[in-house]
Amino acid sequence: VQLQASGGGLVQAGDSLRLSCQASGLTFSKYHMGWFRQAPGKEREFVAVYTYLANSVKGRFTISRDNAKNTVYLQMHSLKPEDTAIYYCAAALRTPDSYVYYYNSDIYDYWGQGTLVTVSS
């Protein structure tokens, strides 16, 4: 299984960016595809999956997926310096628990390599 994330870069506060993550080697429709991020010196945190968004990004980020392309997207608007982090995509097998514990990185089976987003003020 491979999850290939892309789309990161250096942007200014207020800008938009779209991250992509293409999956291979798994049955895409059977998995939740989520996004996490890790800022320098901080723990990895949940960003988005399915229809769920972290409070810190609600109203600014949206998550979507294209099952035909085995790809999940994270559209980010109104970026802030505090959004600076390495963004990781991850895949979790759809189970009843996965709809409850979607924010917990432990339930994710596969992880991408991460893509760096830097937001300057």
Side-chain angles (χ1 to χ4, degrees):
V1 174
Q2 285 194 327
L3 303 181
Q4 184 68 43
S6 61
L10 172 63
V11 297
Q12 293 187 330
D15 284 351
S16 298
L17 205 59
R18 189 178 80 158
L19 306 182
S20 301
C21 175
Q22 185 168 36
S24 60
L26 53 72
T27 304
F28 192 70
S29 60
K30 291 186 176 181
Y31 285 81
H32 291 302
M33 297 299 297
W35 289 94
F36 287 74
R37 67 185 182 186
Q38 187 166 19
K42 295 188 177 181
E43 292 186 354
R44 189 174 299 185
E45 65 175 2
F46 166 77
V47 177
V49 70
Y50 190 50
T51 61
Y52 307 118
L53 293 167
N55 288 335
S56 59
V57 305
K58 280 181 181 177
R60 300 187 298 121
F61 292 13
T62 57
I63 184 171
S64 61
R65 60 189 287 162
D66 185 336
N67 287 337
K69 296 182 178 179
N70 282 11
T71 301
V72 62
Y73 304 98
L74 185 68
Q75 179 67 56
M76 305 183 292
H77 296 294
S78 302
L79 282 161
K80 304 175 181 180
E82 51 263 44
D83 294 317
T84 294
I86 299 174
Y87 284 71
Y88 298 91
C89 61
L93 188 67
R94 295 181 192 266
T95 66
D97 279 353
S98 69
Y99 289 90
V100 177
Y101 302 109
Y102 57 86
Y103 53 87
N104 189 333
S105 60
D106 290 343
I107 73 162
Y108 289 80
D109 305 290
Y110 304 106
W111 292 83
Q113 85 288 359
T115 185
L116 177 62
V117 173
T118 304
V119 185
S120 64
S121 56

